[in-house]
Amino acid sequence: MYLATTGRPDAPPAPSGVRRRVPGTVLALGAVSLVTDVSSEMVTAVLPLYLVLGLGLSPLQFGLLDGLSTGATALVRLLGGATADRGGRHKQVGGLGYALSACSRLGLLLAGGATGWIATAIAADRLGKGVRTAPRDALITLHSPPEDLGRAFGTHRAMDTTGALLGPLAAFALLWATADAYDAVFAVSFSVGAFGVLLWVLLVPGRTRGGEKAPVVPAEPRARGEFPAEPRARAGFLGGLFGGLLGGPRSPEYRRIVICAGILGAATIGDAFLYLLLQRRLAFDATWFPFLPLGAAAVYLLLAVPAGRLADRTGRRAPLLYGHVALLLAYGLLLAPLPDPVVLLGVLLLLGVFYAATDGVLMALAGPFLTEGRQASGLAVVQTAQALARLGAAVAFGAVWTASGPETALVAALLALTAALCCAARLLPTTRSEPSERSD
């Protein structure tokens, strides 16, 4: 059965006079993500600098490392989603992912300058994120009314982004206080990540039954234009795993969302590349590099909840497309002959708009099409399509940069994103579903 109260996805919000509180589970998950993001962004903020400027990796090597570490999460996302759906183990599987990411900081601490060990530690962090993301987002979907999913995801992403703001500040303060001792950053990051795992254990409910109830209603007779829900998989563990990829919800809209996530992801270069391009163009001191993510994170923090509310009111297709238009403009700014301050502020602003309008909105768009008992695996398919596509984008961008220079790579990325937007505009649903006709 679909997680909807009206039998249709992207349902309109409740009457304007009714204002619901954000569910407590969403706030708990947001608190865990806030603390965990402080830990992860401490490392993310300094890692490109450490690898490219400190260890001397080429853009192609960095692209391979970044892309492979992201792509390594692909099957793990499906595995985590399918495992979480079996018996409602969302808390256990998500907690394992958070613990793995926290322990990866120890790997960076012990790796020294060995690129292979650094790659292993980064992959462990990415695997942890891959394991935890689908169960966490499934819990948000289960504990939020479908008409308020945009607001719920926006609230969670805003709290998550608060950690993204604090993480680089903490990294910069540590580098300044320890005379660029990266080991200190990795050690503190591990301690903060361990605290996030503790919050997950203490605050996040293990099941929807017996606590907060998932907004699921009894099955209704099939209505015009409505696709029947797929029954819960009974073919065992492997059936649940591959069923999420090959079966999934029968709604063609859901499958279009998966395709569009892959198409748009294939034209999205990583934030690290954008920050390296900014540092290269503006030629500022490397000490200030960890501050670059702060500008985008601040914009994301301010716009995440409004973007989610707007998506709930107007439909989630338009914000998703316009968010990628913002990313397209960021690419263009890096190529434009404009003053450096305009380029710096413009790219960070547009990058923040991109994430506010797409990150949680994509999950909210897919949420109402997911069948009961398949929430985590259904979201994992969307996330996996995006992760695999971004793997290819990172490797391709790094290869073109190494072979032909950053300007050529940016032009190629701009053209690819333009084509992807045209495809997504045609594939994503153009209107919301009509109200279902219920039998008496």
mmCIF file of all heavy atoms in Angstrom, residues 21-34 98 136-145 148-160 200 203-205 212 305:
data_model
loop_
_atom_site.group_PDB
_atom_site.id
_atom_site.type_symbol
_atom_site.label_atom_id
_atom_site.label_comp_id
_atom_site.label_asym_id
_atom_site.label_seq_id
_atom_site.Cartn_x
_atom_site.Cartn_y
_atom_site.Cartn_z
ATOM 1 N N ARG A 21 3.240 19.961 13.954
ATOM 2 C CA ARG A 21 4.622 20.010 14.405
ATOM 3 C C ARG A 21 5.450 18.997 13.634
ATOM 4 O O ARG A 21 4.936 17.980 13.179
ATOM 5 C CB ARG A 21 4.703 19.717 15.901
ATOM 6 C CG ARG A 21 4.069 20.789 16.776
ATOM 7 C CD ARG A 21 4.249 20.455 18.241
ATOM 8 N NE ARG A 21 3.593 19.185 18.585
ATOM 9 C CZ ARG A 21 3.679 18.608 19.771
ATOM 10 N NH1 ARG A 21 4.394 19.170 20.728
ATOM 11 N NH2 ARG A 21 3.054 17.478 20.004
ATOM 12 N N VAL A 22 6.727 19.286 13.516
ATOM 13 C CA VAL A 22 7.642 18.320 12.920
ATOM 14 C C VAL A 22 7.728 17.121 13.868
ATOM 15 O O VAL A 22 7.912 17.294 15.078
ATOM 16 C CB VAL A 22 9.036 18.941 12.708
ATOM 17 C CG1 VAL A 22 10.012 17.898 12.176
ATOM 18 C CG2 VAL A 22 8.940 20.119 11.752
ATOM 19 N N PRO A 23 7.592 15.885 13.364
ATOM 20 C CA PRO A 23 7.625 14.709 14.243
ATOM 21 C C PRO A 23 8.915 14.637 15.050
ATOM 22 O O PRO A 23 9.995 15.021 14.588
ATOM 23 C CB PRO A 23 7.521 13.540 13.257
ATOM 24 C CG PRO A 23 6.821 14.108 12.064
ATOM 25 C CD PRO A 23 7.295 15.523 11.965
ATOM 26 N N GLY A 24 8.779 14.121 16.270
ATOM 27 C CA GLY A 24 9.937 14.025 17.150
ATOM 28 C C GLY A 24 11.048 13.159 16.586
ATOM 29 O O GLY A 24 12.238 13.422 16.799
ATOM 30 N N THR A 25 10.680 12.109 15.859
ATOM 31 C CA THR A 25 11.699 11.248 15.273
ATOM 32 C C THR A 25 12.540 12.010 14.258
ATOM 33 O O THR A 25 13.757 11.801 14.160
ATOM 34 C CB THR A 25 11.046 10.027 14.606
ATOM 35 O OG1 THR A 25 10.337 9.279 15.596
ATOM 36 C CG2 THR A 25 12.084 9.138 13.946
ATOM 37 N N VAL A 26 11.901 12.879 13.493
ATOM 38 C CA VAL A 26 12.640 13.682 12.511
ATOM 39 C C VAL A 26 13.639 14.587 13.219
ATOM 40 O O VAL A 26 14.787 14.749 12.773
ATOM 41 C CB VAL A 26 11.667 14.501 11.643
ATOM 42 C CG1 VAL A 26 12.433 15.430 10.700
ATOM 43 C CG2 VAL A 26 10.755 13.581 10.841
ATOM 44 N N LEU A 27 13.228 15.183 14.338
ATOM 45 C CA LEU A 27 14.146 16.046 15.093
ATOM 46 C C LEU A 27 15.297 15.241 15.690
ATOM 47 O O LEU A 27 16.442 15.707 15.724
ATOM 48 C CB LEU A 27 13.374 16.769 16.199
ATOM 49 C CG LEU A 27 12.285 17.740 15.726
ATOM 50 C CD1 LEU A 27 11.557 18.346 16.919
ATOM 51 C CD2 LEU A 27 12.870 18.837 14.850
ATOM 52 N N ALA A 28 15.000 14.021 16.171
ATOM 53 C CA ALA A 28 16.074 13.173 16.704
ATOM 54 C C ALA A 28 17.067 12.802 15.617
ATOM 55 O O ALA A 28 18.289 12.849 15.807
ATOM 56 C CB ALA A 28 15.480 11.920 17.336
ATOM 57 N N LEU A 29 16.547 12.426 14.456
ATOM 58 C CA LEU A 29 17.429 12.099 13.338
ATOM 59 C C LEU A 29 18.230 13.321 12.907
ATOM 60 O O LEU A 29 19.408 13.200 12.530
ATOM 61 C CB LEU A 29 16.596 11.580 12.160
ATOM 62 C CG LEU A 29 15.924 10.217 12.365
ATOM 63 C CD1 LEU A 29 14.889 9.959 11.279
ATOM 64 C CD2 LEU A 29 16.963 9.108 12.371
ATOM 65 N N GLY A 30 17.607 14.494 12.974
ATOM 66 C CA GLY A 30 18.333 15.709 12.639
ATOM 67 C C GLY A 30 19.466 15.993 13.609
ATOM 68 O O GLY A 30 20.550 16.442 13.210
ATOM 69 N N ALA A 31 19.235 15.724 14.898
ATOM 70 C CA ALA A 31 20.289 15.934 15.893
ATOM 71 C C ALA A 31 21.468 15.003 15.645
ATOM 72 O O ALA A 31 22.639 15.408 15.731
ATOM 73 C CB ALA A 31 19.728 15.718 17.297
ATOM 74 N N VAL A 32 21.182 13.743 15.322
ATOM 75 C CA VAL A 32 22.261 12.801 15.018
ATOM 76 C C VAL A 32 23.029 13.252 13.785
ATOM 77 O O VAL A 32 24.273 13.238 13.756
ATOM 78 C CB VAL A 32 21.690 11.386 14.803
ATOM 79 C CG1 VAL A 32 22.776 10.434 14.328
ATOM 80 C CG2 VAL A 32 21.051 10.869 16.078
ATOM 81 N N SER A 33 22.302 13.677 12.758
ATOM 82 C CA SER A 33 22.963 14.115 11.529
ATOM 83 C C SER A 33 23.786 15.378 11.752
ATOM 84 O O SER A 33 24.851 15.545 11.142
ATOM 85 C CB SER A 33 21.915 14.360 10.435
ATOM 86 O OG SER A 33 21.302 13.148 10.045
ATOM 87 N N LEU A 34 23.306 16.259 12.614
ATOM 88 C CA LEU A 34 24.059 17.480 12.916
ATOM 89 C C LEU A 34 25.430 17.128 13.496
ATOM 90 O O LEU A 34 26.468 17.617 13.024
ATOM 91 C CB LEU A 34 23.260 18.345 13.886
ATOM 92 C CG LEU A 34 23.772 19.759 14.180
ATOM 93 C CD1 LEU A 34 22.627 20.630 14.688
ATOM 94 C CD2 LEU A 34 24.889 19.768 15.233
ATOM 95 N N TYR A 98 26.580 4.527 10.813
ATOM 96 C CA TYR A 98 27.180 5.647 11.549
ATOM 97 C C TYR A 98 28.464 5.204 12.253
ATOM 98 O O TYR A 98 29.452 5.953 12.283
ATOM 99 C CB TYR A 98 26.178 6.200 12.561
ATOM 100 C CG TYR A 98 25.158 7.132 11.964
ATOM 101 C CD1 TYR A 98 23.847 6.714 11.740
ATOM 102 C CD2 TYR A 98 25.497 8.434 11.625
ATOM 103 C CE1 TYR A 98 22.907 7.572 11.185
ATOM 104 C CE2 TYR A 98 24.560 9.299 11.071
ATOM 105 C CZ TYR A 98 23.265 8.859 10.848
ATOM 106 O OH TYR A 98 22.333 9.701 10.287
ATOM 107 N N ARG A 136 17.839 5.771 7.376
ATOM 108 C CA ARG A 136 17.528 7.051 7.997
ATOM 109 C C ARG A 136 16.409 7.774 7.249
ATOM 110 O O ARG A 136 15.437 8.237 7.859
ATOM 111 C CB ARG A 136 18.785 7.918 8.025
ATOM 112 C CG ARG A 136 18.600 9.284 8.680
ATOM 113 C CD ARG A 136 19.669 10.250 8.197
ATOM 114 N NE ARG A 136 19.527 10.534 6.778
ATOM 115 C CZ ARG A 136 20.506 11.014 6.013
ATOM 116 N NH1 ARG A 136 21.701 11.221 6.512
ATOM 117 N NH2 ARG A 136 20.275 11.275 4.729
ATOM 118 N N ASP A 137 16.515 7.854 5.918
ATOM 119 C CA ASP A 137 15.481 8.534 5.145
ATOM 120 C C ASP A 137 14.165 7.774 5.177
ATOM 121 O O ASP A 137 13.084 8.374 5.111
ATOM 122 C CB ASP A 137 15.957 8.741 3.712
ATOM 123 C CG ASP A 137 16.998 9.846 3.587
ATOM 124 O OD1 ASP A 137 17.222 10.564 4.581
ATOM 125 O OD2 ASP A 137 17.595 10.000 2.499
ATOM 126 N N ALA A 138 14.251 6.436 5.283
ATOM 127 C CA ALA A 138 13.024 5.658 5.416
ATOM 128 C C ALA A 138 12.315 5.984 6.727
ATOM 129 O O ALA A 138 11.078 6.065 6.768
ATOM 130 C CB ALA A 138 13.341 4.164 5.334
ATOM 131 N N LEU A 139 13.075 6.179 7.812
ATOM 132 C CA LEU A 139 12.467 6.560 9.085
ATOM 133 C C LEU A 139 11.768 7.916 8.982
ATOM 134 O O LEU A 139 10.697 8.118 9.557
ATOM 135 C CB LEU A 139 13.532 6.593 10.184
ATOM 136 C CG LEU A 139 14.000 5.231 10.716
ATOM 137 C CD1 LEU A 139 15.201 5.413 11.639
ATOM 138 C CD2 LEU A 139 12.874 4.518 11.438
ATOM 139 N N ILE A 140 12.366 8.842 8.244
ATOM 140 C CA ILE A 140 11.704 10.130 8.029
ATOM 141 C C ILE A 140 10.395 9.927 7.283
ATOM 142 O O ILE A 140 9.351 10.505 7.635
ATOM 143 C CB ILE A 140 12.628 11.087 7.250
ATOM 144 C CG1 ILE A 140 13.877 11.412 8.068
ATOM 145 C CG2 ILE A 140 11.887 12.381 6.897
ATOM 146 C CD1 ILE A 140 14.905 12.252 7.318
ATOM 147 N N THR A 141 10.420 9.094 6.240
ATOM 148 C CA THR A 141 9.210 8.823 5.469
ATOM 149 C C THR A 141 8.148 8.135 6.314
ATOM 150 O O THR A 141 6.961 8.467 6.240
ATOM 151 C CB THR A 141 9.562 7.942 4.254
ATOM 152 O OG1 THR A 141 10.531 8.619 3.447
ATOM 153 C CG2 THR A 141 8.334 7.647 3.414
ATOM 154 N N LEU A 142 8.557 7.184 7.145
ATOM 155 C CA LEU A 142 7.607 6.427 7.958
ATOM 156 C C LEU A 142 6.941 7.268 9.036
ATOM 157 O O LEU A 142 5.795 7.029 9.401
ATOM 158 C CB LEU A 142 8.331 5.249 8.622
ATOM 159 C CG LEU A 142 8.637 4.048 7.726
ATOM 160 C CD1 LEU A 142 9.644 3.134 8.399
ATOM 161 C CD2 LEU A 142 7.363 3.291 7.398
ATOM 162 N N HIS A 143 7.644 8.267 9.553
ATOM 163 C CA HIS A 143 7.139 9.040 10.683
ATOM 164 C C HIS A 143 6.599 10.409 10.278
ATOM 165 O O HIS A 143 6.352 11.240 11.151
ATOM 166 C CB HIS A 143 8.247 9.221 11.728
ATOM 167 C CG HIS A 143 8.608 7.956 12.446
ATOM 168 N ND1 HIS A 143 7.937 7.501 13.545
ATOM 169 C CD2 HIS A 143 9.563 7.025 12.195
ATOM 170 C CE1 HIS A 143 8.469 6.364 13.962
ATOM 171 N NE2 HIS A 143 9.451 6.047 13.163
ATOM 172 N N SER A 144 6.390 10.649 8.975
ATOM 173 C CA SER A 144 5.896 11.941 8.512
ATOM 174 C C SER A 144 4.708 11.734 7.577
ATOM 175 O O SER A 144 4.713 10.801 6.763
ATOM 176 C CB SER A 144 6.996 12.710 7.755
ATOM 177 O OG SER A 144 8.149 12.858 8.548
ATOM 178 N N PRO A 145 3.684 12.580 7.682
ATOM 179 C CA PRO A 145 2.586 12.507 6.717
ATOM 180 C C PRO A 145 3.113 12.758 5.307
ATOM 181 O O PRO A 145 3.988 13.601 5.113
ATOM 182 C CB PRO A 145 1.643 13.639 7.161
ATOM 183 C CG PRO A 145 2.020 13.921 8.573
ATOM 184 C CD PRO A 145 3.489 13.640 8.678
ATOM 185 N N ASP A 148 3.493 16.238 3.970
ATOM 186 C CA ASP A 148 4.482 17.098 4.630
ATOM 187 C C ASP A 148 5.905 16.578 4.483
ATOM 188 O O ASP A 148 6.806 16.991 5.214
ATOM 189 C CB ASP A 148 4.152 17.209 6.139
ATOM 190 C CG ASP A 148 2.945 18.095 6.400
ATOM 191 O OD1 ASP A 148 2.593 18.887 5.508
ATOM 192 O OD2 ASP A 148 2.353 17.978 7.486
ATOM 193 N N LEU A 149 6.122 15.668 3.547
ATOM 194 C CA LEU A 149 7.448 15.081 3.418
ATOM 195 C C LEU A 149 8.509 16.103 3.048
ATOM 196 O O LEU A 149 9.646 16.044 3.514
ATOM 197 C CB LEU A 149 7.424 13.957 2.369
ATOM 198 C CG LEU A 149 6.952 12.591 2.855
ATOM 199 C CD1 LEU A 149 6.894 11.607 1.696
ATOM 200 C CD2 LEU A 149 7.850 12.060 3.954
ATOM 201 N N GLY A 150 8.152 17.058 2.195
ATOM 202 C CA GLY A 150 9.117 18.088 1.826
ATOM 203 C C GLY A 150 9.572 18.881 3.032
ATOM 204 O O GLY A 150 10.771 19.152 3.200
ATOM 205 N N ARG A 151 8.635 19.244 3.893
ATOM 206 C CA ARG A 151 8.969 19.990 5.111
ATOM 207 C C ARG A 151 9.799 19.142 6.067
ATOM 208 O O ARG A 151 10.771 19.621 6.668
ATOM 209 C CB ARG A 151 7.678 20.443 5.789
ATOM 210 C CG ARG A 151 7.857 21.189 7.107
ATOM 211 C CD ARG A 151 6.539 21.828 7.491
ATOM 212 N NE ARG A 151 6.585 22.355 8.853
ATOM 213 C CZ ARG A 151 5.953 21.804 9.885
ATOM 214 N NH1 ARG A 151 5.244 20.704 9.705
ATOM 215 N NH2 ARG A 151 6.009 22.344 11.087
ATOM 216 N N ALA A 152 9.435 17.859 6.203
ATOM 217 C CA ALA A 152 10.174 16.978 7.101
ATOM 218 C C ALA A 152 11.615 16.794 6.628
ATOM 219 O O ALA A 152 12.563 16.913 7.418
ATOM 220 C CB ALA A 152 9.475 15.623 7.200
ATOM 221 N N PHE A 153 11.798 16.507 5.349
ATOM 222 C CA PHE A 153 13.151 16.355 4.823
ATOM 223 C C PHE A 153 13.909 17.677 4.868
ATOM 224 O O PHE A 153 15.119 17.704 5.123
ATOM 225 C CB PHE A 153 13.108 15.810 3.394
ATOM 226 C CG PHE A 153 13.011 14.316 3.322
ATOM 227 C CD1 PHE A 153 11.804 13.695 3.037
ATOM 228 C CD2 PHE A 153 14.116 13.525 3.556
ATOM 229 C CE1 PHE A 153 11.698 12.317 2.967
ATOM 230 C CE2 PHE A 153 14.037 12.140 3.496
ATOM 231 C CZ PHE A 153 12.815 11.530 3.202
ATOM 232 N N GLY A 154 13.196 18.784 4.622
ATOM 233 C CA GLY A 154 13.855 20.085 4.702
ATOM 234 C C GLY A 154 14.345 20.391 6.104
ATOM 235 O O GLY A 154 15.452 20.920 6.288
ATOM 236 N N THR A 155 13.541 20.058 7.115
ATOM 237 C CA THR A 155 13.956 20.265 8.506
ATOM 238 C C THR A 155 15.171 19.420 8.840
ATOM 239 O O THR A 155 16.138 19.894 9.462
ATOM 240 C CB THR A 155 12.801 19.923 9.459
ATOM 241 O OG1 THR A 155 11.674 20.768 9.164
ATOM 242 C CG2 THR A 155 13.208 20.119 10.910
ATOM 243 N N HIS A 156 15.121 18.148 8.442
ATOM 244 C CA HIS A 156 16.273 17.277 8.703
ATOM 245 C C HIS A 156 17.521 17.801 8.016
ATOM 246 O O HIS A 156 18.601 17.867 8.613
ATOM 247 C CB HIS A 156 15.972 15.856 8.223
ATOM 248 C CG HIS A 156 17.161 14.958 8.304
ATOM 249 N ND1 HIS A 156 18.028 14.784 7.236
ATOM 250 C CD2 HIS A 156 17.666 14.208 9.327
ATOM 251 C CE1 HIS A 156 19.006 13.974 7.603
ATOM 252 N NE2 HIS A 156 18.803 13.603 8.853
ATOM 253 N N ARG A 157 17.394 18.191 6.734
ATOM 254 C CA ARG A 157 18.563 18.668 5.996
ATOM 255 C C ARG A 157 19.089 19.984 6.568
ATOM 256 O O ARG A 157 20.300 20.241 6.531
ATOM 257 C CB ARG A 157 18.230 18.836 4.523
ATOM 258 C CG ARG A 157 17.855 17.577 3.738
ATOM 259 C CD ARG A 157 18.687 16.356 4.054
ATOM 260 N NE ARG A 157 18.546 15.322 3.044
ATOM 261 C CZ ARG A 157 18.041 14.108 3.249
ATOM 262 N NH1 ARG A 157 17.618 13.778 4.458
ATOM 263 N NH2 ARG A 157 17.990 13.224 2.271
ATOM 264 N N ALA A 158 18.199 20.809 7.113
ATOM 265 C CA ALA A 158 18.664 22.055 7.731
ATOM 266 C C ALA A 158 19.509 21.771 8.968
ATOM 267 O O ALA A 158 20.548 22.405 9.192
ATOM 268 C CB ALA A 158 17.467 22.944 8.088
ATOM 269 N N MET A 159 19.061 20.818 9.794
ATOM 270 C CA MET A 159 19.847 20.452 10.968
ATOM 271 C C MET A 159 21.170 19.795 10.552
ATOM 272 O O MET A 159 22.231 20.069 11.124
ATOM 273 C CB MET A 159 19.037 19.508 11.859
ATOM 274 C CG MET A 159 17.777 20.134 12.421
ATOM 275 S SD MET A 159 16.792 19.000 13.436
ATOM 276 C CE MET A 159 17.838 18.867 14.890
ATOM 277 N N ASP A 160 21.102 18.948 9.537
ATOM 278 C CA ASP A 160 22.303 18.321 9.011
ATOM 279 C C ASP A 160 23.301 19.377 8.531
ATOM 280 O O ASP A 160 24.501 19.282 8.780
ATOM 281 C CB ASP A 160 21.907 17.393 7.858
ATOM 282 C CG ASP A 160 23.080 16.683 7.239
ATOM 283 O OD1 ASP A 160 23.414 15.594 7.710
ATOM 284 O OD2 ASP A 160 23.663 17.205 6.267
ATOM 285 N N TRP A 200 22.422 8.343 18.321
ATOM 286 C CA TRP A 200 21.554 7.456 17.538
ATOM 287 C C TRP A 200 20.986 6.350 18.429
ATOM 288 O O TRP A 200 19.793 6.052 18.380
ATOM 289 C CB TRP A 200 22.348 6.863 16.375
ATOM 290 C CG TRP A 200 21.600 5.851 15.563
ATOM 291 C CD1 TRP A 200 21.481 4.523 15.811
ATOM 292 C CD2 TRP A 200 20.851 6.105 14.366
ATOM 293 N NE1 TRP A 200 20.713 3.913 14.846
ATOM 294 C CE2 TRP A 200 20.309 4.860 13.950
ATOM 295 C CE3 TRP A 200 20.589 7.243 13.604
ATOM 296 C CZ2 TRP A 200 19.525 4.741 12.799
ATOM 297 C CZ3 TRP A 200 19.817 7.125 12.460
ATOM 298 C CH2 TRP A 200 19.286 5.890 12.068
ATOM 299 N N LEU A 203 18.426 8.161 21.132
ATOM 300 C CA LEU A 203 17.299 9.010 20.743
ATOM 301 C C LEU A 203 16.402 8.444 19.663
ATOM 302 O O LEU A 203 15.213 8.771 19.616
ATOM 303 C CB LEU A 203 17.817 10.379 20.273
ATOM 304 C CG LEU A 203 18.595 11.220 21.287
ATOM 305 C CD1 LEU A 203 19.004 12.547 20.657
ATOM 306 C CD2 LEU A 203 17.774 11.453 22.550
ATOM 307 N N VAL A 204 16.941 7.618 18.784
ATOM 308 C CA VAL A 204 16.173 7.190 17.614
ATOM 309 C C VAL A 204 15.395 5.924 17.941
ATOM 310 O O VAL A 204 15.971 4.948 18.433
ATOM 311 C CB VAL A 204 17.113 6.944 16.414
ATOM 312 C CG1 VAL A 204 16.328 6.410 15.220
ATOM 313 C CG2 VAL A 204 17.833 8.240 16.046
ATOM 314 N N PRO A 205 14.076 5.911 17.693
ATOM 315 C CA PRO A 205 13.282 4.707 17.954
ATOM 316 C C PRO A 205 13.648 3.598 16.987
ATOM 317 O O PRO A 205 14.017 3.844 15.836
ATOM 318 C CB PRO A 205 11.842 5.178 17.742
ATOM 319 C CG PRO A 205 11.960 6.334 16.819
ATOM 320 C CD PRO A 205 13.252 7.014 17.168
ATOM 321 N N GLU A 212 5.767 5.844 17.580
ATOM 322 C CA GLU A 212 5.100 6.654 16.577
ATOM 323 C C GLU A 212 4.610 5.757 15.464
ATOM 324 O O GLU A 212 5.275 4.811 15.056
ATOM 325 C CB GLU A 212 6.063 7.688 16.005
ATOM 326 C CG GLU A 212 6.382 8.813 16.939
ATOM 327 C CD GLU A 212 7.263 9.834 16.240
ATOM 328 O OE1 GLU A 212 6.719 10.639 15.498
ATOM 329 O OE2 GLU A 212 8.477 9.782 16.447
ATOM 330 N N VAL A 305 14.318 24.379 4.588
ATOM 331 C CA VAL A 305 12.924 24.258 5.029
ATOM 332 C C VAL A 305 11.977 25.005 4.084
ATOM 333 O O VAL A 305 10.949 24.443 3.679
ATOM 334 C CB VAL A 305 12.771 24.740 6.477
ATOM 335 C CG1 VAL A 305 11.301 24.730 6.893
ATOM 336 C CG2 VAL A 305 13.586 23.850 7.419
#
